[in-house]
Amino acid sequence: MPVCGPKLSLCGLIISVWGIVQLALMGVFYYIGAVALAEDIPEAEYHEGKLQEFYAEVDKGFKQNAYNCWIAALLYLITLAISAHQFWANNRSSLSV
Amino acid sequence: MVKTVMITCGGALGLLMCCVVEQHEGGANPTESMTRALISDDCIARQSTLGPVQLGFVAGVILRERIPAFERMLWRACRGNVFLRQAEIETPLEDPSTSDQVYKSVFIIFFQGDQLKTRVKKICEGFRATLYPCPEAPADRREMAMGVMTRIEDLNTVLGQTQDHRHRVLVAAAKNIKNWFVKVRKIKAIYHTLNLFNLDVTQKCLIAECWVPVLDLENIQLALRRGTERSGSSVPPILNRMDTIEDPPTYNHTNKFTSAFQTLIDSYGIASYREMNPAPYTIITFPFLFAVMFGDLGHGFILAAFGAWMIWNIFFGGRYIILLMGLFSMYTGLIYNDVFAKSINIFGSGWRVYNFTMKNVSELVSGATLNPTHDYVGFPYPIGMDPVWQLSKNKIIFQNSFKMKFSIIIGIIHMLFGVVMSLFNYLYFKNKVAHQQMQATENGDAEQPIHNNTAQTPVAHGGHDEEPLGEIFIHQGIHTIEYVLGSVSHTASYLRLWALSLAHAQLSEVLWSMVLSKGLKVDGWAGGIALYIIFAVWASLTVSILVLMEGLSAFLHTLRLHWVEFQSKFYSGNGYGFQPFSFEIILDSATQAKEEI
């Protein structure tokens, strides 16, 4: 049974496809520690003389963000499934009318 | 519209008794008065032998509102010697001529003698009452009532069948009505065009003057021959090229790809006849200048995907423009090294940090400065901006000067190209003027009065020659100054390329750091869910602001650069379009007009 309208389900489809592609790629970039994304990790504080700890913290942030990106991508995969089902249900109901 | 009324009547001499159903005169026992005859049968028998004194009656229906006047009239005209009974008909009747619902009453009038009968009938006529024959004997009446009933039933079936048939016919016609409309419009257009033809002096053939593309002359000849064969005419049509002093209309052959670009040019002004058409060059320069302002690999990809989707799915004139704008934006995005405001490092940066130890890093206060002499690897990044700029503090300062200079270079190339085009225009039109002048002198010798107009044109051109030299200097001086000033201001106008591209890059960077970055900075596993929500917000803002709004703005600026800065160098656009007779155009405009109504 269609819950969302045809436009909302189409919107969900597009955003989830976009989200899956971009977030999965960003996850990979975080995983390999891309420098361009260094500004977009949870704050890591630098204490005088404790450089190793700072590096470890930054690495942890990179890994954490990689997983977070993949989690979000997974959530978008679910959204994609729901939207696709809704889209299909809408198409079917509009055809049968 | 036949109504039956039951009337029982004991016709009798002197006295009368009448009973209309559902109406009772006062009295103790109403039913008795209905059943009992006031005059016994022998009395009737006696009466019939007595002869002429006989009570007559007429019955009919009349509009309900006419009843009081009708009654009064009857009373006055017959001096109270008639007796009227009436009953209202409850159900409304339909007037067959106006199909209104009307209320009527049924009446019966008793009278004595023929004189009164004619008078009563006249009055009934005057009041537009409808009289119905009503036999005297009860058996006849019953029979008649039955007859009327069956007739009503018959008529109802006939009406039902007619209605069904009409419905079927209309349904069948509804399927064809569109085709009929198309046919009628086509025939109308043909006759309208035929009305524009002139009759020959011999009154035997029609003559039309029209513009045709020279390229299609053979096709037209063939079509005319085919038409002659099909119509079975014995007279072959004659197609003659004629000389005219009128300016021919401009006709540019387009296809589904080029037509949108031609439309962009034509909305500024349709080219004068045989003038250089900027549309072919616009196919490349338009998306390129747009992309300079819209340079972002990600945004360009969205635009290109949208354009590609439109090409597959919907018929929209500008779909190829959008696709090209998207593809070119992807290219400039690669050059600017911007994907949603982030750089990608495909080939490896051309900058390295050598001899940096842990000690050096911990001693850094606010970043390191890269020295070109020993931090540069010796060869540049293969395509576009080096990704290292993403991390630098002076990125904007560098890009500002880069984009500003770049836009001026592009602008000057673009305008120089326009000037080159003006050279071709000049060469062509100068030749044409010389040709016309020569023709005019020939005509002048032959003294053909018809070609007077041709002779006038070169006179106007020749007028320049008679201008005193000083005025020529002044005019040319003014033109030169205007041209130089115009070119300077136009060059400055190309700086919009720099401004818009910078604004676009900054806006997408702000959107990233203000929206998506917030989701990325959430610590722990909750970050995944936060990212899921924030990504949707960021994506919709990207589409609505960066792609749609910025795209529209870049489009308009590109259009301006083409219309004003580029085309002012060579394009006058003073022509008028070639409007061929086309069923497609006629039908399109007809459907559009219908939609507007």
Side-chain angles (χ1 to χ4, degrees), chain B residues 510-559:
Chain B
V510 164
L511 193 67
W512 183 287
S513 60
M514 300 292 278
V515 182
L516 195 59
S517 192
K518 298 277 184 262
L520 291 165
K521 278 181 180 163
V522 176
D523 210 351
W525 297 102
I529 294 151
L531 193 55
Y532 171 73
I533 296 159
I534 286 172
F535 179 83
V537 176
W538 175 81
S540 33
L541 283 177
T542 296
V543 169
S544 58
I545 296 176
L546 290 176
V547 177
L548 287 182
M549 247 175 62
E550 281 271 285
L552 187 67
S553 134
F555 181 90
L556 292 176
H557 280 285
T558 315
L559 199 61

Side-chain angles (χ1 to χ4, degrees), chain B residues 224 348 355 436:
Chain B
L224 281 174
N355 306 323
Q436 265 187 355

Side-chain angles (χ1 to χ4, degrees), chain B residues 435-494:
Chain B
H435 181 69
Q436 265 187 355
Q437 226 157 0
M438 215 163 65
Q439 217 179 22
T441 41
E442 278 169 19
N443 289 337
D445 293 341
E447 281 180 10
Q448 283 177 341
I450 305 163
H451 289 87
N452 261 348
N453 280 332
T454 355
Q456 273 168 13
T457 337
V459 170
H461 282 285
H464 282 295
D465 299 339
E466 288 150 25
E467 230 175 343
L469 199 67
E471 270 186 43
I472 294 177
F473 272 122
I474 291 167
H475 272 142
Q476 291 305 313
I478 289 170
H479 274 298
T480 310
I481 292 167
E482 261 181 15
Y483 190 82
V484 169
L485 287 180
S487 295
V488 169
S489 81
H490 284 171
T491 309
S493 187
Y494 276 92

Side-chain angles (χ1 to χ4, degrees), chain B residues 35-323:
Chain B
T35 49
R36 193 191 55 160
L38 280 180
I39 301 155
S40 54
D41 287 344
D42 54 79
C43 197
I44 294 162
R46 190 161 15 105
Q47 206 272 324
S48 55
T49 53
L50 270 175
V53 194
Q54 180 76 27
L55 210 55
F57 65 89
V58 290
V61 292
I62 189 168
L63 281 177
R64 197 179 284 178
E65 60 267 22
R66 294 212 175 122
I67 282 283
F70 183 56
E71 203 167 2
R72 207 175 310 128
M73 188 70 182
L74 273 174
W75 180 263
R76 281 184 194 157
C78 308
R79 300 199 176 77
N81 284 329
V82 295
F83 185 70
L84 169 88
R85 298 311 313 264
Q86 53 96 10
E88 289 173 357
I89 301 170
E90 302 279 329
T91 48
L93 304 168
E94 196 189 303
D95 188 320
S97 53
T98 60
S99 72
D100 287 338
Q101 300 283 309
V102 289
Y103 286 90
K104 290 200 170 185
S105 288
V106 62
F107 64 86
I108 183 162
I109 304 162
F110 297 96
F111 49 81
Q112 199 180 25
D114 285 340
Q115 221 178 341
L116 270 180
K117 186 178 179 177
T118 49
R119 201 172 285 175
V120 164
K121 278 197 170 166
K122 274 236 175 77
I123 292 166
C124 288
E125 234 169 71
F127 277 85
R128 303 239 179 83
T130 323
L131 296 180
Y132 293 101
C134 185
E136 297 208 8
D140 290 351
R141 279 201 297 274
R142 207 169 301 127
E143 206 173 290
M144 193 171 171
M146 295 295 288
V148 167
M149 291 264 253
T150 44
R151 256 181 68 204
I152 288 174
E153 259 165 42
D154 286 353
L155 284 173
N156 272 338
T157 30
V158 168
L159 277 176
Q161 276 176 358
T162 315
Q163 206 126 35
D164 272 0
H165 181 69
R166 191 170 67 177
H167 186 249
R168 272 199 302 277
V169 168
L170 285 177
V171 164
K175 280 178 200 155
N176 288 329
I177 192 137
K178 259 196 180 164
N179 286 338
W180 291 343
F181 265 111
V182 167
K183 249 181 220 172
V184 167
R185 288 213 174 92
K186 280 185 177 179
I187 292 168
K188 199 174 137 191
I190 290 169
Y191 279 106
H192 177 73
T193 312
L194 278 176
N195 280 340
L196 297 173
F197 281 44
N198 291 321
L199 257 187
D200 183 41
V201 266
T202 57
Q203 302 252 325
K204 292 237 167 85
C205 61
L206 294 167
I207 298 174
E209 287 177 21
C210 61
W211 295 111
V212 295
V214 179
L215 269 178
D216 289 331
L217 265 176
E218 257 179 48
N219 281 337
I220 292 161
Q221 290 274 25
L222 274 177
L224 281 174
R225 208 165 301 152
R226 216 164 39 230
T228 326
E229 276 165 24
R230 275 198 204 165
S231 65
S233 163
S234 56
V235 188
I238 301 160
L239 184 71
N240 243 350
R241 273 182 86 160
M242 49 191 285
D243 287 324
T244 175
I245 42 105
E246 270 180 73
D247 276 331
T250 308
Y251 176 52
N252 293 310
H253 259 293
T254 54
N255 54 30
K256 61 182 176 177
F257 175 69
T258 54
S259 68
F261 293 99
Q262 190 67 58
T263 312
L264 282 182
I265 302 299
D266 286 350
S267 31
Y268 173 78
I270 291 169
S272 311
Y273 186 62
R274 304 292 287 170
E275 194 177 22
M276 288 295 276
N277 182 13
Y281 317 106
T282 306
I283 292 173
I284 295 304
T285 55
F286 193 91
F288 180 68
L289 289 190
F290 172 86
V292 169
M293 293 183 263
F294 197 73
D296 190 302
L297 191 59
H299 301 153
F301 180 76
I302 293 172
L303 206 60
F306 182 57
W309 173 81
M310 278 203 297
I311 287 167
W312 291 118
N313 285 296
I314 54 171
F315 187 80
F316 166 65
R319 59 204 192 277
Y320 289 100
I321 297 187
I322 290 177
L323 176 72

